[in-house]
Every structure is written in structure tokens, then in C-alpha cells.
Amino acid sequence: MSAQDQAAGLRKWADLQRQQRQAPSVESDPVEDEPGAEPMAAMADSSTAPPTAASAQTTAPPSMPQNPLIVIGMPSSGDQQVAKVKGRLAQWSVLGRRWAGDPDDWDIHIVKADAANLGQLKERFPRWALWINSDADAFAQMYRSLRQVQENGGPRQLLALHEPNLPRRGLLDNLREAASYYLDIELLLLAR
């Protein structure tokens, strides 16, 4: 799958999610000038009982399906790490990246790069990302994670998640080129 295909798929999905959220509720308010128009209350059967709390729960709109995103390269899993990923997605959303959508629409899973079941996860989940730290040892750590992903049958394409101030020149470009040349992994870097 090429970078453009994945980005186009993410944009399409985000647009669909946005359209579903913004779809106006259908209310049948009659036009006053229309002859024979009756208000909705008058058309309702008077024998129908008002909805109970139990029936209101069953008629509530279904929750939005969450889009899974598997993230590797984080030191540990937990709510704090998920919040970091969602924070970055929120920043991209504010910058106008429509595919990022609402960060709460993402189901973030933190997975270790050396997990034995990466091949199975790759078949099940299409969207993967690499969290890139910006400390002095970041290149070695991230390259090691990518090598483990390759060795354990993980995906061949990952989105680069990184701090917004991290310049493309240097760490990001070097990591992208090394992943491509040595590991046959495409690391997707988004332009600002």
C-alpha cells in the first residue's frame, strides 16, 4: 500500500465520520402555509406511552465506531501514552489534517515492537504508527524498534508520530531513509 493510498483512505474515512456526526436530524416540522399539515404531536397515537429510561437507552444512536491505530516505539503502554498519541492527532486535526478527525474517534493500542504476534496484528489492523522520541538516543531506539517490527512480521508502512517542533532534517529524514534502505519499511512523514 503506498503512502498516498493510506493517506487517501484516512481522509475518506475521516470525511465519512464527520458527515455522520454532522448529519442533521430529520424533524418533520410542517410548513404552516401547507394545507392539511398537522403537527407531529397531533399525528402521534395518543395510546402510545412516553418512552421509558430503558427504551431511551435502546433507541440512543449507536456510538461511533472507533478506528484502531497500533502504535509502537513507546516505552510503556497506558493511559498516559494513549493521551500523548491523541494529543498529537489533535494537533494535526487543528492544523487542518482532515484524516486525523476527532482524537476520541481513534482506538489507540500501544504494542511492543518485539511482540511475537505482530504478523497477526498486521493482518487484523491496517493503521500503524511509530512514536518517535526526540532525545539523544532516539535514532538508535527507533531503528531498533523498526528492525524488530520487520523481524516479527509487522507492517511495512508506518505513520511517524512525533513532537510538532521536531524538524524533518536530521532525525526524521535519517530514520525514514534508513528504514527504507535497510528494512524495506516506509515511514510516512507528514509535511507541516
Side-chain angles (χ1 to χ4, degrees), residues 65-177:
Q66 290 193 328
N67 199 24
L69 177 65
I70 308 301
V71 181
I72 62 164
M74 297 192 111
S76 63
S77 61
D79 293 341
Q80 209 172 32
Q81 304 301 343
V82 169
K84 280 174 90 172
V85 173
K86 286 189 177 193
R88 186 61 183 126
L89 291 169
Q91 290 167 342
W92 273 328
S93 183
V94 167
L95 290 173
R97 306 275 191 248
R98 294 184 305 166
W99 62 266
D102 182 355
D104 290 330
D105 289 344
W106 292 91
D107 183 20
I108 310 295
H109 299 274
I110 310 298
V111 175
K112 296 286 185 190
D114 61 353
N117 65 343
L118 281 187
Q120 294 169 345
L121 292 173
K122 178 181 87 171
E123 297 302 319
R124 191 168 165 213
F125 300 106
R127 292 173 187 83
W128 289 70
L130 173 69
W131 183 266
I132 301 173
N133 297 320
S134 60
D135 59 10
D137 296 327
F139 181 85
Q141 292 169 355
M142 299 303 102
Y143 184 79
R144 185 178 312 109
S145 291
L146 288 170
R147 192 182 72 232
Q148 290 172 334
V149 165
Q150 180 206 37
E151 291 170 355
N152 291 311
R156 294 287 182 225
Q157 188 177 57
L158 295 105
L159 174 66
L161 290 174
H162 56 85
E163 298 166 4
N165 303 351
L166 195 60
R168 183 173 266 210
R169 284 184 146 178
L171 174 63
L172 295 176
D173 275 342
N174 291 342
L175 191 56
R176 182 182 51 82
E177 289 173 18

Side-chain angles (χ1 to χ4, degrees), residues 6 8 14 28-29 38 44-45 47-48 76 85 92 102 126 129 149 155 166 170 186:
Q6 185 176 21
S28 303
D29 289 336
E38 296 177 342
D45 186 344
S47 64
T48 348
S76 63
V85 173
W92 273 328
D102 182 355
V149 165
L166 195 60
E186 184 178 6

